[in-house]
Amino acid sequence: MAEPEDARRYLPSRGGIPAHRRAAADCRGCLLYEDATQTVFGAGDASARLMLVGEEPGDQEDREGEPFVGPAGRLLRRAADEADLDMDRAYVTNAVKHFKFRRTGPGKRRIHKAPSLGEMTACRPWLEAELRIVEPEVVVALGATAAKSLLGHGFRVTRHRGDALTLPEPVPATVVATLHPSAVLRADDREEAFSGLVADLKAAARALQQA
Ligand code: URA
Ligand code: SF4
């Protein structure tokens, strides 16, 4: 079989988030569908003013079919609470909709692997469709994958985190990039990393007030 190209031919020609979620369940726009349990599409308020974009579903998200329901999601909620950012009214999604992993150790535990540029590019039509439908005023890019997917491959989170930037396409919005909640979980100084995440989310809350 030839290498699949991207998600475009799986997108419905019309419909809102529910129609897109149903169509994405059968996406074979890249090879990540082969080993994952299911597509994890975005979730939340389809007319939200705030969209949060992660990297890809993790182990627990892959099993449950919902974004950010695992440890990274719990940390993100705590940080958002502290920043006065209401996650219950947000739309939450990922740059890549299938879990990528390798199996390791005696229990063959599934360990997260970062998506490749090809996979990010293949999956981008779903993210673009979500942006067009939800039309958020503020988008938070959680980590380098989300930030590159939204702002271009040359974008460096370390240089621009917490800045209010302009989303280049496909809809007008302010983007704030920050580190990924999983990076906080892995950091040597977790407390400092957590405070940094909260500070960036506060910048997103301010942008939301100004929008
Ligand atoms: N990490 C992500 O980037 N997204 C999720 O949904 C869960 C963990
Ligand atoms: Fe389709 Fe994205 Fe899954 Fe690849 S990762 S199969 S493009 S939904």
PDB file of all heavy atoms in Angstrom, residues 1 20 45 55 86 114 131 156 164 210:
ATOM      1  N   MET A   1       0.844  -1.202   0.000  1.00  0.00           N
ATOM      2  CA  MET A   1       0.000   0.000   0.000  1.00  0.00           C
ATOM      3  C   MET A   1       0.876   1.248   0.000  1.00  0.00           C
ATOM      4  O   MET A   1       1.885   1.297   0.691  1.00  0.00           O
ATOM      5  CB  MET A   1      -0.893  -0.022   1.245  1.00  0.00           C
ATOM      6  CG  MET A   1      -2.085   0.874   1.144  1.00  0.00           C
ATOM      7  SD  MET A   1      -3.094   0.795   2.645  1.00  0.00           S
ATOM      8  CE  MET A   1      -2.415   2.168   3.554  1.00  0.00           C
ATOM      9  N   HIS A  20     -17.277  16.236  12.434  1.00  0.00           N
ATOM     10  CA  HIS A  20     -15.836  16.068  12.256  1.00  0.00           C
ATOM     11  C   HIS A  20     -15.292  14.970  13.164  1.00  0.00           C
ATOM     12  O   HIS A  20     -14.421  14.203  12.777  1.00  0.00           O
ATOM     13  CB  HIS A  20     -15.116  17.397  12.494  1.00  0.00           C
ATOM     14  CG  HIS A  20     -15.228  18.328  11.321  1.00  0.00           C
ATOM     15  ND1 HIS A  20     -16.402  18.981  11.016  1.00  0.00           N
ATOM     16  CD2 HIS A  20     -14.336  18.680  10.370  1.00  0.00           C
ATOM     17  CE1 HIS A  20     -16.218  19.702   9.909  1.00  0.00           C
ATOM     18  NE2 HIS A  20     -14.975  19.550   9.505  1.00  0.00           N
ATOM     19  N   ASP A  45     -16.556  22.924  24.627  1.00  0.00           N
ATOM     20  CA  ASP A  45     -17.521  23.864  24.071  1.00  0.00           C
ATOM     21  C   ASP A  45     -17.130  24.236  22.637  1.00  0.00           C
ATOM     22  O   ASP A  45     -16.090  24.859  22.415  1.00  0.00           O
ATOM     23  CB  ASP A  45     -17.545  25.105  24.976  1.00  0.00           C
ATOM     24  CG  ASP A  45     -18.564  26.139  24.534  1.00  0.00           C
ATOM     25  OD1 ASP A  45     -19.180  25.964  23.460  1.00  0.00           O
ATOM     26  OD2 ASP A  45     -18.727  27.134  25.267  1.00  0.00           O
ATOM     27  N   GLU A  55      -0.209  18.182  22.386  1.00  0.00           N
ATOM     28  CA  GLU A  55       0.603  17.521  21.369  1.00  0.00           C
ATOM     29  C   GLU A  55      -0.146  16.362  20.721  1.00  0.00           C
ATOM     30  O   GLU A  55      -0.506  16.375  19.547  1.00  0.00           O
ATOM     31  CB  GLU A  55       1.897  17.037  22.012  1.00  0.00           C
ATOM     32  CG  GLU A  55       2.826  16.360  21.037  1.00  0.00           C
ATOM     33  CD  GLU A  55       3.925  15.598  21.757  1.00  0.00           C
ATOM     34  OE1 GLU A  55       3.621  14.594  22.446  1.00  0.00           O
ATOM     35  OE2 GLU A  55       5.094  16.011  21.632  1.00  0.00           O
ATOM     36  N   ASP A  86     -10.882  29.313  32.809  1.00  0.00           N
ATOM     37  CA  ASP A  86     -11.949  28.338  33.015  1.00  0.00           C
ATOM     38  C   ASP A  86     -11.904  27.236  31.951  1.00  0.00           C
ATOM     39  O   ASP A  86     -12.392  27.404  30.847  1.00  0.00           O
ATOM     40  CB  ASP A  86     -13.302  29.076  32.993  1.00  0.00           C
ATOM     41  CG  ASP A  86     -14.435  28.176  33.442  1.00  0.00           C
ATOM     42  OD1 ASP A  86     -14.191  26.972  33.683  1.00  0.00           O
ATOM     43  OD2 ASP A  86     -15.564  28.676  33.551  1.00  0.00           O
ATOM     44  N   ALA A 114       7.202  11.316  20.538  1.00  0.00           N
ATOM     45  CA  ALA A 114       6.764  12.573  19.915  1.00  0.00           C
ATOM     46  C   ALA A 114       6.397  12.327  18.452  1.00  0.00           C
ATOM     47  O   ALA A 114       7.051  11.542  17.768  1.00  0.00           O
ATOM     48  CB  ALA A 114       7.878  13.610  20.011  1.00  0.00           C
ATOM     49  N   LEU A 131     -10.310  24.920  14.345  1.00  0.00           N
ATOM     50  CA  LEU A 131     -10.139  26.367  14.499  1.00  0.00           C
ATOM     51  C   LEU A 131     -11.214  27.117  13.720  1.00  0.00           C
ATOM     52  O   LEU A 131     -11.774  28.108  14.201  1.00  0.00           O
ATOM     53  CB  LEU A 131      -8.750  26.787  14.019  1.00  0.00           C
ATOM     54  CG  LEU A 131      -7.588  26.431  14.960  1.00  0.00           C
ATOM     55  CD1 LEU A 131      -6.248  26.518  14.224  1.00  0.00           C
ATOM     56  CD2 LEU A 131      -7.572  27.358  16.182  1.00  0.00           C
ATOM     57  N   ARG A 156       9.999  28.921  18.185  1.00  0.00           N
ATOM     58  CA  ARG A 156      10.681  28.418  19.381  1.00  0.00           C
ATOM     59  C   ARG A 156       9.944  28.854  20.646  1.00  0.00           C
ATOM     60  O   ARG A 156       9.946  30.037  20.988  1.00  0.00           O
ATOM     61  CB  ARG A 156      12.119  28.959  19.439  1.00  0.00           C
ATOM     62  CG  ARG A 156      13.011  28.486  18.305  1.00  0.00           C
ATOM     63  CD  ARG A 156      13.429  27.027  18.495  1.00  0.00           C
ATOM     64  NE  ARG A 156      14.128  26.506  17.319  1.00  0.00           N
ATOM     65  CZ  ARG A 156      13.556  25.876  16.297  1.00  0.00           C
ATOM     66  NH1 ARG A 156      12.243  25.674  16.297  1.00  0.00           N
ATOM     67  NH2 ARG A 156      14.256  25.436  15.281  1.00  0.00           N
ATOM     68  N   ALA A 164       1.755  37.344  23.723  1.00  0.00           N
ATOM     69  CA  ALA A 164       0.499  37.329  22.971  1.00  0.00           C
ATOM     70  C   ALA A 164       0.841  37.493  21.496  1.00  0.00           C
ATOM     71  O   ALA A 164       1.241  38.567  21.060  1.00  0.00           O
ATOM     72  CB  ALA A 164      -0.419  38.443  23.456  1.00  0.00           C
ATOM     73  N   GLN A 210      -9.001  40.983  27.162  1.00  0.00           N
ATOM     74  CA  GLN A 210      -8.838  42.098  26.223  1.00  0.00           C
ATOM     75  C   GLN A 210      -9.516  41.842  24.879  1.00  0.00           C
ATOM     76  O   GLN A 210      -9.737  42.759  24.111  1.00  0.00           O
ATOM     77  CB  GLN A 210      -7.342  42.382  26.005  1.00  0.00           C
ATOM     78  CG  GLN A 210      -6.715  43.118  27.188  1.00  0.00           C
ATOM     79  CD  GLN A 210      -5.213  42.922  27.274  1.00  0.00           C
ATOM     80  OE1 GLN A 210      -4.588  42.437  26.328  1.00  0.00           O
ATOM     81  NE2 GLN A 210      -4.617  43.285  28.400  1.00  0.00           N
TER      82      GLN A 210
END
